[in-house]
Amino acid sequence: ITHATHLQASLRSSMNRESKSQQEVNLSVLRRQDPAITSVVANSGHVAIYRFDEASRAWSRRDIEGALFIVSRSDVPLYRLVVMNRLSTENLLEDIEADWNVQVTSPYLLFRKASGEVTGIWFYEDTDRDTIVAQLSQIRDSLRSMRDSSLLQSSGPSPMGGAGFPGHPHPHMPPAFHGSAPTFMHAAPPHGSAPTFMHAAPP
């Protein structure tokens, strides 16, 4: 637990600069959903969520977009990724686990959970994405360290050397990116070659 306390202090020091009043408003709203939240350690103003379907081998856009927060909690799970949805009352809540496999292919952050589920997050701001990736990696590594020290029970096999990603929303754009750009975007993500970590691009 001491290790976690030190990590939380380190993460808080690297938060995006916001006015104290805005931070307090965000924290108050988040605590209405989850009273165990103790602080916001990182955030991004606007993201959109995508899901990879193993059966169809294709990406689809979920009806979730809005502000993203990484929060610390007073109970297990110690950290959670939250997207406060502007489209409906269905928010995204993802418990951050030691076994997350995180990859970046601009402008997306991709993560595979121990269950094999793959999620893609599109960021309006590249700098926000880079900050969130750094925080997620730091939290994940800390959780692995705590797990290995028997402070947390293992939630499954380590992803090191395990499955990679089946593809990503770029360059094979999800349906929302074909034609005109979605209303929340100023421009559609650029096309490019497939990243080297790809096993197979979606059809």
Side-chain angles (χ1 to χ4, degrees):
I1 301 301
T2 300
H3 190 111
T5 300
H6 288 312
L7 174 62
Q8 290 176 16
S10 173
L11 291 172
R12 281 195 295 269
S13 69
S14 62
M15 282 183 60
N16 296 335
R17 293 189 179 278
E18 291 182 294
S19 67
K20 184 176 180 180
S21 61
Q22 185 59 53
Q23 292 181 39
E24 291 173 348
V25 169
N26 289 340
L27 188 57
S28 176
V29 172
L30 289 163
R31 280 176 171 163
R32 289 181 205 144
Q33 305 292 325
D34 181 0
I37 291 175
T38 57
S39 66
V40 175
V41 297
N43 67 278
S44 177
H46 196 95
V47 303
I49 305 302
Y50 292 82
R51 173 192 297 144
F52 185 77
D53 183 81
E54 293 286 354
S56 63
R57 305 297 292 174
W59 287 94
S60 62
R61 179 181 165 187
R62 297 181 61 181
D63 291 329
I64 300 177
E65 64 176 75
L68 177 150
F69 301 90
I70 295 177
V71 298
S72 61
R73 305 178 72 254
S74 59
D75 198 1
V76 175
L78 297 178
Y79 298 94
R80 179 170 282 166
L81 185 151
V82 180
V83 176
M84 300 297 288
N85 196 3
R86 295 174 182 170
L87 303 180
S88 73
T89 57
E90 180 193 0
N91 297 323
L92 179 72
L93 302 175
E94 293 285 359
D95 298 340
I96 301 175
E97 304 169 347
D99 294 305
W100 273 23
N101 190 347
V102 179
Q103 296 269 3
V104 176
T105 298
S106 181
Y108 301 94
L109 180 159
L110 311 177
F111 66 87
R112 179 191 288 273
K113 299 192 292 187
S115 64
E117 180 182 349
V118 180
T119 297
I121 305 177
W122 175 88
F123 286 81
Y124 179 73
E125 295 286 350
D126 286 349
T127 53
D128 284 359
R129 182 200 63 235
D130 295 342
T131 297
I132 296 300
V133 169
Q135 305 291 31
L136 283 177
S137 297
Q138 187 176 355
I139 290 170
R140 180 197 60 188
D141 292 347
S142 177
L143 292 174
R144 286 179 181 175
S145 178
M146 287 189 285
R147 180 189 64 187
D148 294 343
S149 299
S150 298
L151 295 178
L152 290 177
Q153 290 186 347
S154 175
S155 59
S158 170
M160 301 302 291
F165 292 94
H168 59 92
H170 158 79
H172 299 271
M173 300 298 177
F177 283 143
H178 288 293
S180 60
T183 55
F184 63 84
M185 300 174 67
H186 287 189
H191 288 274
S193 59
T196 55
F197 66 78
M198 265 188 165
H199 288 320

